Amino acid sequence: MSTVTMENEKRKGINPQKFALWLSMGSIIMMFTGWTSAYIVKHAAGNWLEFGLPNMFYISTGVIVLSSIALHTSYISYKKQWEKMYKGMLVLTFVLGIVFIVTQTQGWYELFAMGVDFKANVAGSFTYLITWAHAVHVLGGIATLIVAMIHAFSLKFRYREERKNRFELVLQYWHFVGVLWIYLLFFILNIR
Amino acid sequence: MADIATTYNEDVLIKELGYDDHFHDHHHGDKYQSSFISHYIFSMDHKIIARQFLITGIIWAIIGAAMSIVFRLQLGFPEESLTWLKPVLGKWIVVDVNGIGTLAPEFYYALVTMHGTILVFFVLTAGLSGTFSNLLIPLQLGARDMASPFLNMLSYWFFFMAGIVMFYSLFLSTGPFSGGWTAYPPLSALPQASTGSGTGMTLWLVSLTLFVVSVLLGGINYITTVLNLRTKGMSLWRMPLTIWAFFVTAVIGVLSFPVLASGFFMLMMDRGLGTSFFLSEIFIEGQALDRVGGSPVLYQHLFWFLGHPEVYIIILPAMGIVSEVLAVHARKPIFGYRAMVYSILAIAFLSFIVWAHHMFMSGVNPFISNFFVIFTLIIAVPSAVKVFNWITTLFGGNIRLNTPMLFAIGFVSMFISGGLTGVFLGNSTIDIQMHDTYFVVAHFHIVMGVAAFFGMFAGIYHWYPKMYGRFMNETLGKIHFWGTMIGAYAIFWPMHYIGMAGVPRRYYSFDSFDAFKHFADMNKFITIAAIIVFAVQLLFVINFFYSIWNGKKMKVKNPWQATTLEWTTPIEPIHGNWPGKIPSVHRWAYDYNKDEREFVPQYVPLEEGEVGDH
Ligand code: HEM
Ligand SMILES: [Cu+2]
């Protein structure tokens, strides 16, 4: 019997929540793949309005990069148990997240002022659609940041494996929407 | 069950060798059962959720099938009066001065559209994979429940809400959406395009968007559970083929449904914000619209990128169920287990690169069509491998011809007949003649509609005792099988001929086409067969609900003498599935008639010198 119990110990697999998060990211990527492929096809078909991207979009890129750095610092601080840094950086991330949405909104106004509305040419329609859809996903991230802040400020500060894992969920999603934005920006810049 | 060749004392074996996860120490099991509402309605128990999916699916199946009877009446008996339907359909039956009632053409289209949408998404996706993934993934893998019971519950309720929205759209004064289940623009993109294109289409989009959320929540959960919550010893290569099928189905769903959502959001923008993703040079009543620059073919690409994988999302769970039922009731190991798994994977992969075979006639570049022809025809290879293995599993088996087995064999028959016509359609040159004719309707109803239903019936009859602790009535089950088997061929076989003659699908009436006049009798025949088959299904429904309370009781835990873990759980289901430890697994799921033993369950350790697995 002993050989039997030896074979195949119960695996300590990856955290199911994290795994589910990665699957959701896969889904989100597929959705954007749908749009970007349609974009490429339509672009190749011609009758495509060419325009430069609003400057605000570059500023927002900087903002979202900073926010990712801030959140990562907060995460490291949590692990090192630097309470102040952890909380401060978390709040900073949240603020930068809001700033990102604001700068994106400014960007859309700028785009509109440049004469690109979402109706006249599919080039414009796609640009709005893709950036809007991305912003919606950032809003989702901001919602999780709010939950993380509620935890940070209402629970007693203590390092717990469980809390670290939960933090990692927020962290990974936030990095994900950041990277997604940079990818989309390069995509739109290169194909127009 | 006096003639059991081998018996096993699973309780003792699980106690000795099982895996202790201290589940029942925490008492979180009890809170789910505290009240009727949390137990039966907002339940987080996968077994209850499975039954919710199943019963909701059955209700939708009855609605969808009843719709098909109404439009078949129109096709088979265009001259007969439908006044008797007025009390149900109201203004959609137009009664003339002589009291003759006719079905309004707009409503005919709405019925065809709703029939397709309901059957494809609500019945054969949610009702089939939702039911059996939920029931079997935890039970056959040795898990207490899904990875996230909460998301699992949400998955059902999103499906439920999708259903409510769709159901509501049936009662709109302009009727539900009527542009076909594929919702091609411009009918779907311009609210003013037809009666169903307004609010009907809006609700269709809302409903299916909710549905996509449901599929994603479910799928993410199924994949996570399969990869993370298998019991000790349950390696991937020991999983029953059911689980392989549900797992791959979920992967396909998680990758393809989001793309459908992309298409939906673009449609919403075209409808509400005035963009022209899918619109170009449209004239309505002689007036050119100012919507230019888009292309309806773009939507078709996005739709079929989901649409083709979707047909495999429907058929793979049925295939998994059939593999399991065939092996259990033939008392033989499934032939070519690994080949079966590799075919599932190959089919899944190929299903993503064949979508344009639905668009050969949409003006796609013929050189691109070539690519799709080749990959479409290659799908026939793994499909044939599976068929070969099912037949070989049956060969020389000790076959029990009970209802689940009959349906499983019927599935194989249907899948062969319908798969063969797929090979015709996959050739783009033949498709020039066949596209959008009744030949296509015959193809996909046999290979997907009927076959998937057969897989589902096989699963329901087989696992009914696991779900309700009772058996369904065998005699009624056999009548149900033979009626459906013969009836389904009677309905769809003639459609091949009609289709080859070029009769287009989705036409309300063929009055004005002399060439199609001589099919009137065949259409009558089909309609009569459809009515009979519908009646036979009602027999199933009666059997199903009657047996919940009055069926023959299940007295032993493992009535079919199957090897898989679900039959080790108590007859009276409990939260957490196993009262004590979880069984651990020592062999694959198909040790039937092995070394003089009639069957050896998965939780039985290998004997001295015994070679495990396959
Ligand atoms: C050997 C495998 C198969 C091949 C080569 C094949 C090929 C095709 C082709 C070329 C079409 C398009 C016909 C047209 O519109 O002109 C088609 C339609 C269809 N097939 Fe298959 N098929 C196969 C198996 C299946 C399976 C297994 C399913 C479902 C489980 C399926 C479901 C459908 C459906 C639903 C449609 C029609 C959709 C619509 O237009 O409403 N097919 N098939
Ligand atoms: Cu297809």
Side-chain angles (χ1 to χ4, degrees):
Chain A
M1 287 288 138
S2 63
T3 52
V4 176
T5 28
M6 295 274 295
E7 95 180 350
N8 274 316
E9 271 308 308
K10 174 102 181 163
R11 292 147 300 110
K12 268 255 158 265
I14 5 151
N15 174 327
Q17 287 169 338
K18 237 178 254 171
F19 191 80
L21 175 68
W22 297 339
L23 287 172
S24 331
M25 290 176 188
S27 278
I28 296 171
I29 290 175
M30 284 309 289
M31 188 158 76
F32 279 93
T33 309
W35 286 319
T36 48
S37 322
Y39 183 109
I40 294 172
V41 169
K42 218 53 241 141
H43 177 261
N47 185 16
W48 188 266
L49 182 71
E50 255 186 66
F51 51 86
L53 284 185
N55 287 329
M56 267 300 171
F57 280 2
Y58 302 107
I59 297 177
S60 65
T61 310
V63 171
I64 205 157
V65 170
L66 285 180
S67 77
S68 257
I69 297 174
L71 193 61
H72 214 95
T73 318
S74 165
Y75 168 70
I76 293 172
S77 314
Y78 181 71
K79 286 207 296 191
K80 300 227 155 114
Q81 309 197 33
W82 301 332
E83 184 179 353
K84 285 235 168 64
M85 191 71 154
Y86 152 64
K87 288 183 179 166
M89 282 295 164
L90 193 56
V91 175
L92 180 63
T93 315
F94 171 76
V95 172
L96 287 172
I98 302 282
V99 173
F100 176 79
I101 296 290
V102 173
T103 47
Q104 289 295 84
T105 314
Q106 291 302 323
W108 295 320
Y109 280 126
E110 213 179 299
L111 202 57
F112 196 77
M114 279 156 56
V116 185
D117 76 346
F118 53 80
K119 272 155 96 166
N121 188 285
V122 272
S125 314
F126 269 114
T127 309
Y128 284 103
L129 168 64
I130 291 176
T131 50
W132 282 344
H134 175 264
V136 171
H137 287 85
V138 173
L139 286 176
I142 291 178
T144 61
L145 283 175
I146 293 176
V147 177
M149 287 197 304
I150 294 174
H151 280 161
F153 289 97
S154 67
L155 302 177
K156 198 173 133 40
F157 182 78
R158 219 169 354 129
Y159 179 83
R160 294 236 326 273
E161 199 67 12
E162 212 183 307
R163 275 176 76 177
K164 189 203 78 175
N165 283 339
R166 209 156 45 196
F167 197 159
E168 282 175 355
L169 294 177
V170 180
L171 180 76
Q172 290 178 357
Y173 183 75
W174 193 255
H175 286 335
F176 170 74
V177 289
V179 172
L180 183 62
W181 169 251
I182 294 170
Y183 169 75
L184 292 173
L185 186 75
F186 274 99
F187 177 87
I188 298 176
L189 279 177
N190 274 302
I191 305 179
R192 61 189 163 122
Chain B
M1 300 271 157
D3 56 351
I4 303 177
T6 334
T7 51
Y8 297 92
N9 196 334
E10 66 269 5
D11 292 338
V12 173
L13 278 166
I14 293 173
K15 206 164 174 183
E16 278 174 8
L17 300 170
Y19 170 76
D20 192 359
D21 62 346
H22 305 282
F23 177 78
H24 292 279
D25 303 352
H26 311 311
H27 286 285
H28 53 295
D30 305 337
K31 75 166 182 264
Y32 295 122
Q33 284 150 2
S34 51
S35 75
F36 178 83
I37 296 218
S38 59
H39 186 40
Y40 287 107
I41 303 189
F42 293 107
S43 172
M44 295 200 224
D45 187 293
H46 71 101
K47 301 181 288 302
I48 302 268
I49 296 175
R51 283 179 266 175
Q52 291 174 327
F53 268 108
L54 180 57
I55 290 176
T56 316
I58 290 178
I59 293 170
W60 275 115
I62 298 170
I63 297 173
M67 288 173 167
S68 76
I69 298 301
V70 177
F71 65 68
R72 269 317 314 177
L73 282 174
Q74 162 64 29
L75 289 169
F77 301 92
E79 326 275 65
E80 297 293 319
S81 171
L82 291 176
T83 312
W84 59 277
L85 274 173
K86 183 112 183 135
V88 189
L89 298 182
K91 71 168 185 185
W92 301 114
I93 301 286
V94 185
V95 182
D96 69 5
V97 282
N98 303 321
I100 308 284
T102 37
L103 184 66
E106 310 87 285
F107 200 62
Y108 170 88
Y109 292 119
L111 285 174
V112 177
T113 304
M114 284 299 121
H115 168 78
T117 310
I118 290 170
L119 266 295
V120 167
F121 294 109
F122 294 173
V123 181
L124 294 178
T125 304
L128 178 56
S129 120
T131 302
F132 288 101
S133 302
N134 265 304
L135 180 73
L136 294 177
I137 290 179
L139 284 176
Q140 290 196 328
L141 288 180
R144 297 287 183 193
D145 205 313
M146 285 290 175
S148 169
F150 176 69
L151 291 186
N152 209 25
M153 175 185 80
L154 280 188
S155 160
Y156 173 75
W157 287 104
F158 269 97
F159 165 47
F160 186 83
M161 284 191 290
I164 295 289
V165 174
M166 195 64 84
F167 192 72
Y168 180 76
S169 84
L170 302 179
F171 301 98
L172 293 172
S173 69
T174 46
F177 180 53
S178 54
W181 79 278
T182 51
Y184 282 0
L187 287 183
S188 57
L190 287 172
Q192 68 273 38
S194 75
T195 43
S197 300
T199 319
M201 180 60 194
T202 305
L203 293 185
W204 190 95
L205 275 175
V206 171
S207 167
L208 283 198
T209 306
L210 292 169
F211 188 80
V212 171
V213 176
S214 158
V215 172
L216 293 179
L217 290 173
I220 288 173
N221 227 333
Y222 306 151
I223 299 172
T224 311
T225 310
V226 170
L227 290 182
N228 294 298
L229 298 185
R230 278 169 287 133
T231 183
K232 200 173 100 185
M234 181 66 85
S235 62
L236 288 177
W237 287 112
R238 281 179 180 168
M239 297 196 307
L241 286 174
T242 34
I243 305 297
W244 269 109
F246 301 147
F247 170 59
V248 175
T249 302
V251 174
I252 305 178
V254 165
L255 292 178
S256 63
F257 268 98
V259 179
L260 181 69
S262 323
F264 283 173
F265 289 126
M266 288 160 81
L267 262 185
M268 288 176 193
M269 285 179 72
D270 274 7
R271 294 171 62 76
L273 297 180
T275 56
S276 309
F277 288 116
F278 304 136
L279 292 168
S280 193
E281 283 149 38
I282 308 270
F283 291 80
I284 289 189
E285 288 166 353
Q287 287 286 320
L289 297 190
D290 63 347
R291 314 282 286 272
V292 287
S295 151
V297 176
L298 196 60
Y299 173 85
Q300 299 189 15
H301 278 295
L302 290 171
F303 182 85
W304 286 113
F305 186 83
L306 157 94
H308 186 81
E310 165 66 12
V311 306
Y312 284 95
I313 290 174
I314 288 175
I315 208 70
L316 283 177
M319 289 177 162
I321 290 170
V322 163
S323 306
E324 179 71 15
V325 171
L326 283 179
V328 174
H329 296 293
R331 314 308 295 157
K332 273 186 67 189
I334 191 84
F335 186 85
Y337 171 80
R338 275 183 192 245
M340 287 301 230
V341 175
Y342 287 127
S343 331
I344 293 178
L345 295 173
I347 288 175
F349 172 73
L350 289 170
S351 76
F352 280 102
I353 49 172
V354 298
W355 76 89
H357 66 212
H358 297 275
M359 301 161 59
F360 289 148
M361 295 298 286
S362 303
V364 188
N365 183 332
F367 292 104
I368 296 180
S369 285
N370 268 347
F371 170 92
F372 286 102
V373 168
I374 290 172
F375 285 107
T376 299
L377 297 183
I378 291 179
I379 285 210
V381 177
S383 309
V385 169
K386 295 196 75 80
V387 168
F388 178 83
N389 288 353
W390 287 319
I391 295 175
T392 328
T393 303
L394 288 173
F395 187 75
N398 209 346
I399 294 177
R400 304 175 183 150
L401 268 189
N402 49 20
T403 312
M405 184 61 159
L406 285 172
F407 273 108
I409 298 174
F411 170 92
V412 179
S413 161
M414 289 292 168
F415 188 71
I416 296 174
S417 320
L420 283 177
T421 52
V423 179
F424 285 66
L425 295 171
N427 291 280
S428 54
T429 40
I430 301 180
D431 195 53
I432 296 173
Q433 162 76 4
M434 302 295 198
H435 177 66
D436 262 353
T437 66
Y438 271 88
F439 192 88
V440 176
V441 177
H443 159 67
F444 72 75
H445 275 89
I446 291 193
V447 76
M448 177 174 78
V450 181
F453 260 106
F454 273 32
M456 186 155 146
F457 287 137
I460 294 174
Y461 284 102
H462 184 85
W463 279 288
Y464 194 85
K466 193 72 256 168
M467 285 192 263
Y468 294 102
R470 292 170 187 270
F471 292 88
M472 287 175 73
N473 181 294
E474 267 293 303
T475 317
L476 282 180
K478 287 198 173 121
I479 299 173
H480 175 215
F481 170 74
W482 287 109
T484 315
M485 179 81 186
I486 297 168
Y489 272 126
I491 297 171
F492 296 114
W493 202 271
M495 284 190 190
H496 291 98
Y497 297 105
I498 304 182
M500 279 193 258
V503 179
R505 66 195 277 205
R506 289 178 172 148
Y507 274 40
Y508 167 73
S509 138
F510 297 103
D511 289 354
S512 38
F513 306 94
D514 274 340
F516 302 145
K517 283 253 160 69
H518 58 283
F519 291 116
D521 287 337
M522 226 184 235
N523 266 326
K524 274 201 183 69
F525 174 81
I526 293 176
T527 299
I528 293 168
I531 293 170
I532 295 172
V533 170
F534 182 69
V536 174
Q537 304 318 303
L538 293 182
L539 220 57
F540 163 80
V541 175
I542 293 169
N543 192 355
F544 183 92
F545 286 104
Y546 179 82
S547 306
I548 293 182
W549 292 282
N550 300 304
K552 192 178 86 190
K553 273 208 166 132
M554 176 163 82
K555 299 244 170 53
V556 288
K557 273 193 200 166
N558 187 2
W560 306 125
Q561 299 168 36
T563 56
T564 39
L565 297 182
E566 76 272 28
W567 304 105
T568 61
T569 59
I571 296 177
E572 192 67 39
I574 54 166
H575 185 71
N577 297 335
W578 286 270
K581 294 179 178 176
I582 308 179
S584 63
V585 164
H586 306 276
R587 52 181 77 238
W588 73 326
Y590 297 100
D591 273 341
Y592 291 102
N593 273 309
K594 190 187 192 205
D595 318 324
E596 312 287 300
R597 284 180 292 177
E598 219 275 327
F599 74 109
V600 194
Q602 287 192 279
Y603 56 81
V604 176
L606 296 183
E607 282 178 355
E608 201 80 23
E610 185 186 357
V611 183
D613 295 354
H614 31 90

